[in-house]
Amino acid sequence: MQVTEKLARFAVETSYRSFPKPVVHQAKRCFLDLLGVALGGSKQPLCNILVKVAKDFGGKPQATVLGHGLKTNVMNAALVNGAIAHALDYDDTHIYSIGHPSAPVIPAILAVAEWKGLSGKSALEAFILGFEVETRIGLGLGPKHYDRGWHNTSTYGRFGAAVAAGKLLGLSLEQMKQALGLAGTQAAGLRLVFGTMTKPFHPGKCAFDGVLSAILAQRGFTCAPNIIEGKKGFVEVLGDHSKLEPMVNNLGKRYEVLRNTFKPYAACLLTHPAIDAIIDMRNKYDLRPEDVGEIQCDVARFCLDSAGQVEPRTGLAGKFSTYYCAALALAEGVAGEDMFTDRKVLDPKMVALRKKVKARIVPRFKNTEARVTITTRAGKKYSTYVDRPKGDPRNPPTDRELEDKFRSLAAFVLPQRKIESLVKTIWSLEKLPNMRQLVRLCH
């Protein structure tokens, strides 16, 4: 099966006018959400390091680092913006392909579109195509790819960034196949690094490599044109019981962006069902930390696999701790970015409450499921089951809720007038003549 060519052809031959209105609107929601978390992430320590590196080795001032206003070369801008987009681990998630698809793609688009002075409609077109290609590849890879220790966002994200950048650069079919080849041969990213600065570095490197792949392909650089399905290629080497059919079935008819999840909580998505359950019981039964003897969380296997840190020591590690997230949900009733600080994670009251949390795997549970049972010190038991957590495509946030999330994060770096201008600009992105106008609002 010529999967690489089919995906490349889809990217090259599909245009904006082919997209249903709900797909375009969902793409705008992705831009709003991703720009918010990137602006919030621009104040993280990893960004300071990357900005300094970009200043030291910057090259031509072609594109802008969000939140900072630094002009650097197009690939460095994609790198830094991709990293800050995932720095808070608050960005959207495609649960079916087990990855964060917007973080590698939108930064690549912003960099190339600013560099070339392209329109908002072109940016939306490139995003939808990049998102579709990368998540389709993720669907075909299957869960064992992630289970083996690969970080899907990092391995499939390069394909999405390359397609998006290549679409903006007007690559031909043959050039797009070469760009996909270059993206595939650079694919990497290990889950061992979760909880460190390198996890968000992954989508940054995806954006960098995707832009580089598209530029090299445009200039005649060669690679294997069948990188996905070829012998000793991407699927054979990195896959495990992977299938090619899901990568192309109903291509252009069913859009994966409509199955995207937007995070209401600033933690690993797999903790969200338990957080939802606990907040629900907290509010319904007026439960407080001092009332509780034990919190039992029954969760899916990947929940503890990805977010099983029993004794987190930092705010970042707390995002990958089902135990801390459960304690936080009960103590505060919220799980926003300001709840994941080193000080909060190490607060003696939070540590004591976290130690009351037990977690166990229920093999039959899907990644969106959890059952939480709270036993009070008086011996009463309360239990709630969640299978459609907030943010899930079956329980999506409203546009207003996404706007509120965006405003809360953008406020870390922008004045109110720019925040409101950005919201308005994003909702009418297809009418924007030049993406440089949007980028100027982002610092």
Side-chain angles (χ1 to χ4, degrees):
M1 182 181 292
Q2 295 179 314
V3 171
T4 308
E5 177 160 345
K6 287 183 179 180
L7 292 174
R9 186 177 296 279
F10 169 71
V12 169
E13 296 181 355
T14 306
S15 66
Y16 180 89
R17 64 178 176 271
S18 303
F19 303 137
K21 288 183 179 180
V23 170
V24 173
H25 186 71
Q26 182 79 330
K28 294 178 188 178
R29 284 160 59 89
C30 293
F31 266 90
L32 183 70
D33 190 71
L34 197 281
L35 284 172
V37 296
L39 289 168
S42 70
K43 291 301 181 183
Q44 293 296 300
L46 71 90
C47 187
N48 296 330
I49 297 171
L50 291 172
V51 165
K52 188 175 187 307
V53 171
K55 286 180 178 178
D56 289 345
F57 306 98
K60 294 181 179 180
Q62 297 164 327
T64 305
V65 174
L66 303 176
H68 289 261
L70 171 69
K71 284 271 196 173
T72 184
N73 77 56
V74 65
M75 285 172 282
N76 279 347
L79 170 68
V80 182
N81 290 336
I84 65 176
H86 194 49
L88 304 180
D89 220 287
Y90 207 176
D91 48 317
D92 59 15
T93 307
H94 188 263
I95 195 72
Y96 307 98
S97 62
I98 321 177
H100 301 268
S102 292
V105 175
I106 291 178
I109 290 170
L110 293 175
V112 174
E114 181 185 3
W115 174 36
K116 296 296 185 181
L118 302 175
S119 70
K121 182 179 287 186
S122 296
L124 286 169
E125 179 183 73
F127 171 74
I128 294 167
L129 294 171
F131 188 106
E132 189 67 15
V133 168
E134 66 178 348
T135 52
R136 288 303 194 108
I137 292 171
L139 290 176
L141 284 172
K144 287 187 177 294
H145 176 75
Y146 185 82
D147 200 26
R148 284 177 61 187
W150 293 109
H151 183 198
N152 289 27
T153 304
S154 191
T155 55
Y156 74 44
R158 283 169 171 81
F159 292 105
V163 163
K167 186 67 174 180
L168 292 172
L169 292 174
L171 297 191
S172 68
L173 174 59
E174 288 306 312
Q175 289 170 335
M176 190 65 83
K177 286 160 61 177
Q178 300 301 317
L180 286 171
L182 287 160
T185 199
Q186 295 178 85
L190 303 174
R191 288 174 53 210
L192 177 63
V193 306
F194 283 17
T196 74
M197 291 181 182
T198 304
K199 184 176 189 279
F201 175 71
H202 284 169
K205 196 60 167 55
C206 287
F208 180 106
D209 291 346
V211 172
L212 176 61
S213 297
I215 291 172
L216 288 175
Q218 186 183 46
R219 300 187 181 192
F221 210 90
T222 62
C223 189
N226 60 338
I227 197 70
I228 297 172
E229 73 278 7
K231 185 71 175 174
K232 306 302 180 187
F234 181 77
V235 167
E236 183 173 302
V237 175
L238 273 64
D240 193 338
H241 297 284
S242 301
K243 298 178 181 178
L244 297 174
E245 290 80 7
M247 299 183 184
V248 293
N249 282 349
N250 293 315
L251 193 61
K253 297 178 181 178
R254 188 194 71 231
Y255 285 90
E256 290 301 320
V257 72
L258 295 175
R259 299 206 295 167
N260 204 22
T261 292
F262 299 97
K263 286 186 173 184
Y265 310 122
C268 174
L269 183 67
L270 295 166
T271 67
H272 288 205
I275 293 173
D276 258 8
I278 293 168
I279 291 176
D280 178 66
M281 286 186 283
R282 178 186 190 270
N283 296 337
K284 186 180 294 184
Y285 304 115
D286 194 29
L287 296 173
R288 295 296 177 262
E290 58 270 21
D291 302 328
V292 171
E294 182 181 277
I295 304 172
Q296 175 65 53
C297 299
D298 294 339
V299 297
R301 180 170 65 88
F302 276 143
C303 178
L304 293 189
D305 196 29
S306 296
Q309 297 195 34
V310 179
E311 296 186 354
R313 308 292 298 175
T314 66
L316 184 58
K319 292 171 180 279
F320 298 94
S321 172
T322 297
Y323 305 90
Y324 175 72
C325 289
L328 182 64
L330 182 67
E332 303 292 347
V334 294
E337 179 56 32
D338 58 340
M339 295 287 106
F340 292 90
T341 64
D342 296 357
R343 183 175 181 179
K344 186 72 173 178
V345 167
L346 297 175
D347 183 318
K349 291 182 179 179
M350 288 302 300
V351 172
L353 184 56
R354 169 169 56 75
K355 290 182 181 297
K356 295 181 181 180
V357 179
K358 312 297 180 185
R360 64 189 176 196
I361 294 169
V362 178
R364 70 177 185 278
F365 273 10
K366 297 177 181 177
N367 291 334
T368 56
E369 292 181 275
R371 182 181 297 280
V372 180
T373 302
I374 296 176
T375 305
T376 68
R377 294 176 64 186
K380 289 185 177 181
K381 287 192 175 184
Y382 303 97
S383 183
T384 294
Y385 167 77
V386 170
D387 70 337
R388 296 184 180 190
K390 292 178 182 178
D392 186 271
R394 298 164 298 169
N395 185 15
T398 64
D399 289 350
R400 180 57 187 269
E401 287 171 330
L402 283 179
E403 286 182 13
D404 290 344
K405 176 183 173 182
F406 174 85
R407 291 185 177 101
S408 70
L409 291 165
F412 284 112
V413 292
L414 297 181
Q416 192 64 34
R417 60 179 178 83
K418 280 198 170 184
I419 292 173
E420 297 309 317
S421 292
L422 266 172
V423 171
K424 185 177 179 181
T425 299
I426 292 167
W427 287 133
S428 58
L429 196 57
E430 75 279 14
K431 299 177 183 178
L432 190 70
N434 194 321
M435 286 292 286
R436 291 170 183 166
Q437 296 170 249
L438 181 143
V439 173
R440 280 197 291 270
L441 294 172
C442 292
H443 58 85

